[in-house]
């Protein structure tokens, strides 16, 4: 899948595994150097002190190598020498080598050095070594065959380690070594017996194969990238900790290891062959719901929840899944369990973000609440009446009504549906200007015409036909929002467009293309949805599963060359993202026709 001479390497992606915090990536600034890290500490790879250069050694000296990785393991090979690394879902990794050694050199991503290390200790029983890395936890190194040799230098003046290296060395007679590295915060977790290395790899491959059964068969021509996308989601499935009380899907493995609230629902939308797990993901954030206000956290990480808030995406995801496979997974027990939680979440918006008119119209207080952090419709500030958030709230209210009916609270269901219908009418009557849905700030429409102006198409046939037709017309007009690689996040005729370091701002991003094509499809515009989705997914096939793509290397409005990006960084388009992966999976599995 990923390799030195493959179509995609580990500069753009991060090698990881479901249920593990380890990752391996290739250093962008030093081509060919692989680095081992862990996202347990929450730091991005470009800002962490807890990172190891991986060196292949021969007779104790580093040698050049190439690599190849699939879902089971990553092989690192030089001339007549090779090492293989396999992650597990039991808080440790395994390594084996033949006619070679492996050296791990601790080197901070910011300033170099080994300051993350707080101490190294040989166990009295000779069973291995423990290294303490402070907030990053501890590692326990154990040689199963061959030898383990730590090397370190402590700088008394700086009161920190300047050098920390760990060597795994082959047995002098057999030329083979095997080892394990355990990761933990306080004490090693029980893991059972060390299984045969090949059996471990086969078990991991089988686990991934089972995971792929959650997804529909992709449209013809997308099979290879479909596997990459499923692997990207699977490999970013978190471990369970005190702060993450059940598995979630992280945004990225190395660059931004957080679980965003609405992205759990994005992941759910693609998993149509396993609606039970899809429903679990939609419900995940409700485990952290504020019992008084009903608010959901914006993001979770291994360090707990974060401030901020994201749009009420859960209703849209549930509506989509039910439109494709029905609602048989919503048992009366599930409806009884989740109805009050969904209701409290909807009421949070209409209570704490109420526009103050005496109805359910809301206002957002930050770009995060619209979903698009630097979209043009946010340019006039806040509070803002946002039609995108309003459309999502309509679908959330409809989901509340559905859950209420499912547990035989029929009067309450009718009341919620009436609220949803009334809010839909407000959206149409007050936000549609004949050309787009306008964001309103201080009573005035924001002068913007980016793709977010058409996102309420997610309401499908709840909208009048003339609005559906106009939205389809606008989204398929060549050279404005539609580009050769899909929908741009802002009109190419806007002076605000930037393809540099930004979230949207004109770039072509997966979530917006998925949302808009799902919306067009639900509104009966299958031809238009298919065309846009194919453009985007064809580009993903060429470039990989990155967060955003520049549609041109110049700005169409001025003809000027687009500013240079310096990848990879958290905010640019380089790191592979589960968000783009799940959007691709939804489009090739449900939007694109055969």
């Amino acid at each position: 899948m990923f390799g030195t001479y493959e179509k995609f390497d580990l500069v753009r992606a991060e090698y990881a595994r479901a249920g593990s915090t380890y990752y391996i990536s290739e250093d962008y600034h030093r081509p060919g150097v692989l680095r081992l890290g862990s996202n347990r500490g929450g730091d991005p790879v470009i800002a962490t002190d807890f990172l190891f250069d991986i060196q292949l050694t021969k007779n104790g000296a580093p040698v050049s190598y190439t690599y190849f990785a699939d879902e089971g393991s990553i092989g690192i090979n030089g001339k007549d020498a090779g090492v293989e690394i396999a992650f597990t879902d039991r808080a440790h990794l395994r390594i084996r080598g033949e006619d070679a050694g492996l050296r791990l050199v601790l080197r901070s991503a910011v300033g170099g050095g080994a300051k993350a290390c707080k101490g190294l200790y040989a166990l009295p029983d000779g069973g291995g070594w423990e290294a303490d890395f402070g907030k990053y936890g501890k590692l326990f190194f154990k040689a199963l065959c061959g030898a383990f040799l730590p090397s370190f230098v402590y700088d008394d003046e700086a009161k920190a380690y300047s050098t920390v290296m760990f060597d795994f060395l082959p047995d002098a007679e057999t030329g083979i070594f095997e080892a394990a590295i355990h990761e933990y915060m306080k004490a090693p977790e029980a893991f059972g017996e060390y299984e045969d290395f090949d059996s471990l790899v086969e078990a991991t491959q089988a686990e991934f194969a089972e995971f792929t059964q959650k997804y529909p068969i992709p449209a013809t021509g997308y099979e290879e990238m479909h596997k990459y996308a499923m692997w990207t989601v699977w490999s970013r499935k978190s471990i369970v900790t005190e702060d993450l009380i059940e598995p979630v899907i992280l945004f990225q493995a190395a660059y931004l290891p957080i679980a965003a609230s609405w992205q759990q629902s994005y992941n759910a939308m693609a998993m149509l062959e396993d609606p039970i797990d899809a429903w679990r993901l939609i419900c995940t954030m409700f485990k952290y719901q504020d019992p008084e206000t009903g608010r959901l956290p914006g993001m979770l990480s291994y360090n707990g929840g974060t401030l901020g808030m994201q749009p009420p995406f859960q209703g849209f995801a549930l509506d989509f899944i039910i439109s494709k496979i029905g609602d048989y997974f919503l048992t009366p027990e599930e409806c009884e369990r989740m109805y009050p939680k969904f209701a409290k979440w909807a009421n949070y918006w209409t209570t704490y973000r109420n526009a103050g008119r005496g109805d359910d119209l809301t206002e957002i207080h930050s770009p995060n609440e619209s979903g698009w952090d630097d979209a043009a419709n946010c340019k006039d500030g806040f509070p803002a009446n946002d039609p995108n958030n309003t459309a999502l709230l309509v679908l959330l209210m409809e989901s509340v009504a559905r859950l209420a009916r499912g547990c035989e609270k029929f009067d309450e269901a009718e009341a919620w549906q009436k609220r949803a219908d009334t809010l839909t009418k407000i959206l149409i009557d007050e936000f549609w200007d004949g050309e787009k849905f306008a964001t309103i700030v201080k009573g005035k429409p924001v002068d913007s015409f980016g793709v977010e102006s058409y996102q309420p198409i997610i309401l499908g046939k709840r909208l009048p036909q003339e609005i559906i037709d106009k939205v389809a017309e606008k989204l398929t007009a060549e050279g404005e929002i539609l580009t050769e690689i899909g929908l741009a996040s802002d009109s190419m005729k806007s002076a605000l467009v930037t393809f540099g370091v930004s979230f949207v701002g004109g770039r072509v991003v997966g979530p917006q293309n998925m949302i808009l094509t799902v919306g067009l499809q639900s509104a009966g515009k299958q031809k238009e949805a298919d065309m846009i989705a194919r453009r985007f997914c064809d580009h993903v096939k060429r470039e990989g599963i990155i967060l955003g793509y520049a549609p041109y290397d110049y700005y169409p409005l001025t003809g000027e060359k687009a500013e240079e990006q310096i990848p990879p960084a958290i905010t640019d388009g380089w790191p592979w993202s589960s968000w783009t992966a799940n959007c691709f999976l939804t489009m090739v599995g449900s939007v694109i026709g055969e």
Side-chain angles (χ1 to χ4, degrees), residues 548-571:
Y549 310 87
Y552 307 103
D553 59 3
Y554 65 96
Y555 294 118
L557 181 65
T558 63
E560 295 179 359
K561 182 176 175 58
E563 65 265 42
E564 182 181 3
Q565 297 185 54
I566 306 175
I570 296 172
T571 50

Side-chain angles (χ1 to χ4, degrees), residues 258-263 285 295-300 305-310:
I258 53 91
S261 176
W262 64 337
Q263 289 173 26
M285 290 293 170
R295 178 172 176 161
L296 301 185
M299 299 179 185
L300 299 174
T306 65
L307 298 177
M309 189 166 59
Q310 294 179 328

Side-chain angles (χ1 to χ4, degrees), residues 320-340:
F320 170 80
I321 292 170
I322 291 173
S323 74
K324 295 297 182 182
I325 63 171
D327 64 355
Y328 66 91
F329 57 93
L330 291 179
T331 63
E333 293 77 16
E334 280 300 292
C335 292
E336 185 75 39
R337 179 176 74 93
M338 293 307 300
Y339 164 61

Side-chain angles (χ1 to χ4, degrees), residues 491-502:
S491 170
M492 294 298 99
K493 295 182 179 180
S494 171
L496 298 177
V497 165
T498 172
F499 304 146
V501 177
S502 64

